[in-house]
Amino acid sequence: MNTNNIPKTVLNWINGEETAAVSGETFGKLSPHSGEELCRVARSNETDVKTAIQAARGAQAAWAEITPVQRGDMLHDITLAMRTNREEIAKIVAGETGMSFQAALGETGAAIAQGEFMAGEGRRFYGRTTTSALPNKYALTIRQPLGVAGLIIAANTPIANVAWKVFPALICGNAVVLKAAEDTPATAWLFGRIAHEAGIPPGILNIIQGYGAEAGAPLVANPAVDIISFTGSTAVGRE
C-alpha cells in the first residue's frame, strides 16, 4: 500500500498551523500490513489541548456570526477538495487501518457525502414558530451554537468518523477540537490539511494527536469545552 503522502512526523493542527507537541515527544504508528513504522506522531498532553481549546474559543464567535449559508459554502469547498483528493485519502486510510483500498475508497465516498449533506444544511437551518395563548403573539425557536465542540473518534472508520463529527459541529457555528485516534493519526491530519488549504479560518478546526489518557481525557475535563461527542469503547464512554 502506497503511503508516501504520510509525513515523517504527524503533527497537530492548532490555530491553522501544524504544531509539534509542546513536550517534543512522539510515538510510533506501525503499519498493520508490514509491522514497520509508518510515521512518528505528536504525543500531545494537557498543555497542547488547552492551547487548542483557547484557539477554538478565540475564533468561534466570528465563525458563529457569519450566516449558516456562508458556513455551508465553506463546508462545500472542503468537500470538493476531499473529492479531488479522494484517492490520496483512501490510500492513507487503507495504509493506517489495514482495510483494502476499495473499502477505504467507499468509506471516503461516505465522508464526502456527509460533507455535501451538511453543507446543504446551511440552507435549511430552520427554527420553528408556534401559536401563543396571547393575542398578536407567537413563539419561536432559533438555533444557536454552543461554542467549542470536543470531538473524540475511533480508528475503525477514520475518515467517516471525522466527517460525521466535524461537519455537523461546524455548520452549527461551533469551533472544533478533534482528538484523532492514535491508530489513524494521518487520516485526521490529512483532513486538517485539506480543510485549511480550502480556506477554513484559523482556530475553527483544531486537531490534536496523542493517546486517550494524555490528550482525550484533558479535552473532556476542560470546562471551556461546551459539548463532547465521543465514539469509542463502552468502558471509556462510562469513564
Side-chain angles (χ1 to χ4, degrees), residues 15-84:
N15 205 26
E17 301 289 338
E18 288 188 83
T19 308
V22 68
S23 67
E25 291 186 61
T26 61
F27 61 91
K29 160 60 187 172
L30 304 182
S31 166
H33 298 278
S34 67
E36 297 177 354
E37 187 171 279
L38 280 177
C39 59
R40 304 296 297 176
V41 184
R43 187 172 177 175
S44 305
N45 60 28
E46 184 176 3
T47 301
D48 302 291
V49 172
K50 284 183 178 178
T51 301
I53 294 170
Q54 289 169 356
R57 179 65 64 189
Q60 187 269 331
W63 180 247
E65 284 176 2
I66 68 173
T67 68
V69 172
Q70 290 173 301
R71 294 197 295 267
D73 289 343
M74 181 73 262
L75 267 59
H76 186 251
D77 290 343
I78 295 171
T79 304
L80 286 178
M82 290 176 69
R83 187 172 292 281
T84 299

Side-chain angles (χ1 to χ4, degrees), residues 199-230:
I200 195 165
I204 298 302
L205 173 63
N206 305 277
I207 299 174
I208 291 291
Q209 307 288 348
Y211 293 117
E214 298 172 351
L219 178 62
V220 173
N222 194 302
V225 176
D226 299 286
I227 186 170
I228 292 289
S229 179
F230 168 80

Side-chain angles (χ1 to χ4, degrees), residues 150-154 165 220 228-238:
L151 311 178
I152 300 175
I153 59 173
K165 293 190 184 294
V220 173
I228 292 289
S229 179
F230 168 80
T231 298
S233 70
T234 300
V236 176
R238 285 173 175 156

Side-chain angles (χ1 to χ4, degrees), residues 155-172:
N156 55 339
T157 52
I159 191 61
N161 278 330
V162 169
W164 292 334
K165 293 190 184 294
V166 170
F167 286 131
L170 293 181
I171 195 62
C172 290

Side-chain angles (χ1 to χ4, degrees), residues 52-197:
I53 294 170
Q54 289 169 356
R57 179 65 64 189
Q60 187 269 331
W63 180 247
E65 284 176 2
I66 68 173
T67 68
V69 172
Q70 290 173 301
R71 294 197 295 267
D73 289 343
M74 181 73 262
L75 267 59
H76 186 251
D77 290 343
I78 295 171
T79 304
L80 286 178
M82 290 176 69
R83 187 172 292 281
T84 299
N85 293 279
R86 62 193 294 266
E87 291 197 2
E88 179 184 1
I89 297 170
K91 286 177 182 177
I92 289 179
V93 168
E96 288 196 305
T97 63
M99 71 174 70
S100 70
F101 174 72
Q102 287 302 317
L105 200 60
E107 181 192 326
T108 303
I112 292 169
Q114 169 74 340
E116 291 171 338
F117 180 84
M118 283 297 161
E121 286 297 282
R123 298 178 184 273
R124 296 184 293 269
F125 213 70
Y126 305 133
R128 290 185 176 184
T129 61
T130 187
T131 55
S132 170
L134 300 175
N136 303 315
K137 300 286 186 181
Y138 68 94
L140 62 87
T141 61
I142 59 173
R143 294 186 176 189
Q144 294 180 312
L146 291 170
V148 175
L151 311 178
I152 300 175
I153 59 173
N156 55 339
T157 52
I159 191 61
N161 278 330
V162 169
W164 292 334
K165 293 190 184 294
V166 170
F167 286 131
L170 293 181
I171 195 62
C172 290
N174 302 293
V176 164
V177 179
L178 172 70
K179 161 60 177 70
E182 54 261 42
D183 289 326
T184 52
T187 300
W189 166 85
L190 179 58
F191 180 86
R193 192 198 78 187
I194 290 170
H196 287 97
E197 288 177 352

